[in-house]
Amino acid sequence: MSYRPTRVRIQFVWIFLATVCAALLGFASVRRYRHAAVLILHLDQLEHRTSKLTENPQQPKTPSALQPGPPSTDAQEGDLAARSRMQFASLLGITNSSGPRLELESEKWKPLILRHCTEDMPPYYAPCLTKRFPNLEYGEEVVYPDFEAALPGFFDEASAELWVFTNYGPDAQGQTGANKRVVLDERQGRLAFLGLRGQNLVFKNVRYDDGVFPSTWLGDSSHCLGHMTSTEGLHEQGRQPPPPPQQQQQQEQGQGQDTEVEVEVEEAAAYVTPDSERYQHWLDHTTKPLMQNAHLITANTVLLPGLTLATKQPIVQTMWGWLPHFNKSKMAGASGALRVRRLLTSCRVPYVHPYLFFRLQEMVLGPETPRVPLSQRKVVVWYSRSSNDPSRQNRGREILNEDQVKAAIEKLLQERGLGERLEVHPPTQPPSDPLDYVRYLNANAAAMLGPHGGGLCNFKWLASNTLVLELMPRKWISTPLYEESIGHGLNYWVDLLDSVDSQHNMHANISNIIAMLRAELGKEPVRGPIIRYRYDWPAAVEDAVGQEPSHKPYFGSLKLKCCNSLQGMPGWEGLHVLPGPR
Ligand SMILES: *[C@@H]1O[C@H](CO)[C@@H](O)[C@H](O)[C@H]1NC(C)=O
Ligand SMILES: *[C@@H]1O[C@H](CO)[C@@H](O)[C@H](O)[C@H]1NC(C)=O
Ligand SMILES: *[C@@H]1O[C@H](CO)[C@@H](O)[C@H](O)[C@H]1NC(C)=O
């Protein structure tokens, strides 16, 4: 009698234990998936069902994101929105499974990416353009957070007014041209970059050749990055059927004699920007679409740089090789016509946004490179245009009193006794590895000074807050170097000088240079953070990041500053002119 109930009890105990184990296991896995999903959803709204995102938990592979080899081919090939989302999270390290998460500088400026057309979206936003063009397979609208940038440091009032008027006066708006997206705020001594947008567009079944995108600047601004850039050449094409398979095979074996034959390509991305074969314009143009759509690239993506890579300057070919997110064997470019099943184009991309600038440094040089502390950097770089540099393509803009400038800087650095030193660049021997050279600049440069010219473009690789001085002919004022340097928070100064001849050779103003170095070298900019968040409701920014040390460089509280309308009051920062007699 007592035997049976005991067995029953024992069985109950087992059933109970098994149930508890099952419940615990279930709970743990739900928690794990929830954890992963929450991390990914952190990026933007709940536009996808979480189940979809966690279907493929081994994707994305985080450490491969920042210094990746070619991305894996299995990255959600089918659904471009899901691919975009997972790879974007991966680039920012948000899904770091191998260790603690590092907050990147680019993440602090990450754009909102809209991937689906919804009933409340303007019809010209990229996801809704798919409704207009049957062969537009996918479009994403890249909504960049607004920011404001400090105007340059100046040496006298008259030059400050002239520079501001010439570049951002009523008739001119910097590189953004006729779109006038830059708002000049002289009261705060800042430019506000508002409402910047980008579009990543993927067309299907299109014929591509080098006529599709212009390879140089056009007066009507319809080149890549120009504000009238258009995708018209791709709209109607999707209706043509792809060539029959037999013909493809012949092309691949090189048997086709017909020059019109097209090579079949699964996925390709076009980066045909003006003068993209040249060092300077690869840096200030091509890198921007490259960064805006980095999260859409896979190991299958064929690179289309305009013609073939071999037609570019050797340094440009080298720099293409620095990009970690392309499959190297897909990088030759194309010399003939292609039939592309998916063609990615991102010509609608802002010239200037910290996300794009920091992203480039992080991908090429490493995650910490935008924020190398100033205290570790001891080199003042003088970019000379007076040496016999064979790589320089144009002459002029030599500094005629260069020897005196160098002597004065050396004397100052010695007096300071902080271990700082002057170096004259470019080096007499071209560096054997240009990547080592830019790494060196990133890790060591505290300042970079010199006349307007290509050498200064190397500041693209400098860490935040590096002091930059451009010696600019007063009769030839321009914005690009300024905008390229404040885009990642460099402490940019400009001295306008009178040209002594038609080649714009100039005498540097030595007392200005020395006074600037005394005031700013090795320090955070006296006029405050170079780039700051800007939002219609500053108190919301304060609530969100006001107390976070990592965001401090991009945030200045507006409390007690908001409504001062008189010069000299805290809210009136004004143009920054180096004080004191010189
Ligand atoms: C991911 O974790 C590893 C291991 O701790 C760390 O070295 C790496 O910097 C992290 N990456 C990011 C982007 O957070
Ligand atoms: C240098 O610039 C300052 C301020 O712009 C000016 O007062 C001074 O006269 C200049 N010196 C020379 C030698 O031009
Ligand atoms: C890179 O491309 C080559 C040639 O198309 C291909 O064979 C290889 O699998 C790709 N690499 C990866 C990691 O998928």
Side-chain angles (χ1 to χ4, degrees):
M1 283 273 282
S2 63
Y3 176 65
R4 278 179 68 93
T6 309
R7 266 186 61 165
V8 168
R9 223 175 289 143
I10 289 170
Q11 276 168 1
F12 264 121
V13 167
W14 279 115
I15 290 169
F16 177 70
L17 284 177
T19 316
V20 168
C21 283
L24 281 175
L25 278 172
F27 183 59
S29 72
V30 166
R31 264 180 63 107
R32 214 178 76 215
Y33 281 118
R34 261 193 49 198
H35 186 60
V38 165
L39 283 173
I40 292 171
L41 291 175
H42 171 70
L43 273 174
D44 54 17
Q45 280 86 27
L46 295 151
E47 56 185 30
H48 256 287
R49 298 230 324 273
T50 51
S51 58
K52 193 150 196 185
L53 288 163
T54 49
E55 262 163 21
N56 193 359
Q58 70 270 38
Q59 275 291 325
K61 299 182 183 94
T62 310
S64 69
L66 275 169
Q67 289 291 313
S72 72
T73 29
D74 54 342
Q76 301 271 359
E77 286 300 315
D79 184 347
L80 285 164
R83 179 203 293 181
S84 160
R85 193 146 191 215
M86 302 199 77
Q87 295 198 163
F88 190 70
S90 167
L91 278 176
L92 295 177
I94 287 175
T95 51
N96 199 354
S97 51
S98 64
R101 199 164 80 74
L102 203 70
E103 194 182 27
L104 301 173
E105 293 310 287
S106 60
E107 189 189 346
K108 296 169 192 166
W109 293 100
K110 69 187 174 214
L112 170 70
I113 301 181
L114 303 173
R115 301 178 175 94
H116 301 279
C117 184
T118 52
E119 65 285 353
D120 46 5
M121 184 177 281
Y124 41 82
Y125 275 25
C128 294
L129 286 177
T130 57
K131 306 235 176 301
R132 305 282 155 152
F133 306 122
N135 69 327
L136 181 60
E137 179 178 354
Y138 174 70
E140 61 187 30
E141 186 81 9
V142 186
V143 181
Y144 290 91
D146 293 348
F147 72 104
E148 48 186 40
L151 285 163
F154 298 104
F155 296 92
D156 61 81
E157 293 284 350
S159 297
E161 293 295 346
L162 178 63
W163 188 94
V164 169
F165 180 82
T166 309
N167 288 327
Y168 300 100
D171 297 334
Q173 289 286 326
Q175 295 194 57
T176 51
N179 247 13
K180 292 190 190 274
R181 278 169 294 191
V182 181
V183 174
L184 173 65
D185 183 347
E186 269 195 68
R187 191 177 72 104
Q188 288 195 86
R190 286 179 187 263
L191 291 178
F193 291 77
L194 307 177
L196 297 180
R197 300 283 189 274
Q199 296 195 330
N200 293 327
L201 303 173
V202 180
F203 289 90
K204 62 185 178 203
N205 298 330
V206 291
R207 182 179 186 282
Y208 174 87
D209 62 31
D210 278 306
V212 171
F213 296 106
S215 60
T216 188
W217 279 271
L218 300 178
D220 63 2
S221 200
S222 60
H223 47 267
C224 196
L225 275 83
H227 69 279
M228 292 299 288
T229 183
S230 153
T231 49
E232 215 170 337
L234 302 169
H235 292 170
E236 294 300 321
Q237 297 188 13
R239 291 174 195 159
Q240 299 162 16
Q246 210 183 351
Q247 193 190 335
Q248 282 170 37
Q249 256 178 18
Q250 278 182 5
Q251 289 156 14
E252 275 163 17
Q253 290 159 10
Q255 290 169 2
Q257 295 302 309
D258 187 349
T259 49
E260 282 301 304
V261 292
E262 298 166 0
V263 175
E264 185 90 353
V265 164
E266 183 64 19
E267 282 200 19
Y271 301 96
V272 187
T273 59
D275 282 8
S276 64
E277 69 283 0
R278 290 177 48 195
Y279 173 72
Q280 178 173 348
H281 298 307
W282 189 86
L283 280 178
D284 64 15
H285 284 72
T286 319
T287 57
K288 287 153 192 175
L290 270 169
M291 292 304 112
Q292 180 172 281
N293 67 27
H295 58 281
L296 288 167
I297 301 303
T298 76
N300 274 329
T301 311
V302 170
L303 171 74
L304 301 173
L307 298 171
T308 62
L309 218 49
T311 62
K312 315 289 174 192
Q313 283 182 347
I315 179 66
V316 172
Q317 295 176 35
T318 303
M319 290 193 297
W320 272 109
W322 293 351
L323 298 170
H325 65 301
F326 271 100
N327 181 341
K328 297 288 177 284
S329 62
K330 303 278 193 185
M331 289 179 70
S335 50
L338 306 177
R339 165 117 338 231
V340 187
R341 202 176 77 76
R342 272 180 173 163
L343 179 68
L344 170 60
T345 163
S346 302
C347 282
R348 295 175 182 152
V349 55
Y351 266 95
V352 190
H353 194 276
Y355 172 76
L356 302 169
F357 286 56
F358 287 136
R359 179 113 295 276
L360 179 71
Q361 290 190 350
E362 289 162 357
M363 287 182 82
V364 172
L365 301 177
E368 292 291 350
T369 52
R371 50 189 176 216
V372 182
L374 262 177
S375 58
Q376 292 174 16
R377 298 186 261 138
K378 298 291 175 194
V379 176
V380 173
V381 177
W382 172 264
Y383 259 105
S384 173
R385 290 180 61 87
S386 305
S387 65
N388 272 329
D389 175 10
S391 70
R392 198 167 54 237
Q393 295 186 328
N394 47 21
R395 296 187 48 79
R397 277 168 280 130
E398 289 181 25
I399 298 304
L400 300 172
N401 56 346
E402 190 169 282
D403 287 341
Q404 290 95 306
V405 175
K406 290 188 287 195
I409 295 175
E410 260 160 1
K411 180 159 168 280
L412 172 76
L413 299 185
Q414 218 154 36
E415 278 167 23
R416 285 162 61 95
L418 299 171
E420 295 153 333
R421 63 183 188 276
L422 176 71
E423 287 184 7
V424 179
H425 288 232
T428 38
Q429 286 295 313
S432 59
D433 183 351
L435 185 56
D436 284 346
Y437 179 65
V438 299
R439 275 190 201 289
Y440 175 83
L441 291 177
N442 171 265
N444 294 290
M448 187 177 275
L449 328 175
H452 175 90
L456 285 184
C457 297
N458 283 309
F459 62 43
K460 193 85 183 163
W461 308 108
L462 300 183
S464 293
N465 282 332
T466 310
L467 182 58
V468 170
L469 172 65
E470 181 176 2
L471 302 177
M472 185 180 276
R474 192 183 302 279
K475 293 246 164 74
W476 190 20
I477 295 176
S478 63
T479 38
L481 293 185
Y482 162 70
E483 293 191 352
E484 282 287 299
S485 70
I486 48 93
H488 57 298
L490 304 184
N491 181 4
Y492 175 95
W493 285 67
V494 63
D495 202 1
L496 301 186
L497 301 172
D498 295 318
S499 309
V500 299
D501 53 26
S502 63
Q503 292 203 319
H504 297 295
N505 294 321
M506 301 170 273
H507 287 283
N509 183 321
I510 297 175
S511 44
N512 280 355
I513 294 176
I514 298 304
M516 178 197 74
L517 290 172
R518 273 190 215 286
E520 304 269 336
L521 182 62
K523 293 190 210 154
E524 290 187 5
V526 171
R527 64 195 185 287
I530 299 299
I531 44 180
R532 301 194 299 215
Y533 300 129
R534 171 130 178 173
Y535 187 58
D536 288 358
W537 313 107
V541 184
E542 186 140 10
D543 290 346
V545 297
Q547 299 303 317
E548 284 183 29
S550 74
H551 289 259
K552 202 167 155 271
Y554 309 126
F555 174 75
S557 177
L558 291 178
K559 277 186 184 155
L560 306 175
K561 282 183 166 187
C562 100
C563 312
N564 313 137
S565 52
L566 295 178
Q567 204 153 0
M569 295 180 91
W572 188 300
E573 295 162 76
L575 297 179
H576 186 76
V577 176
L578 190 68
R582 290 184 290 285

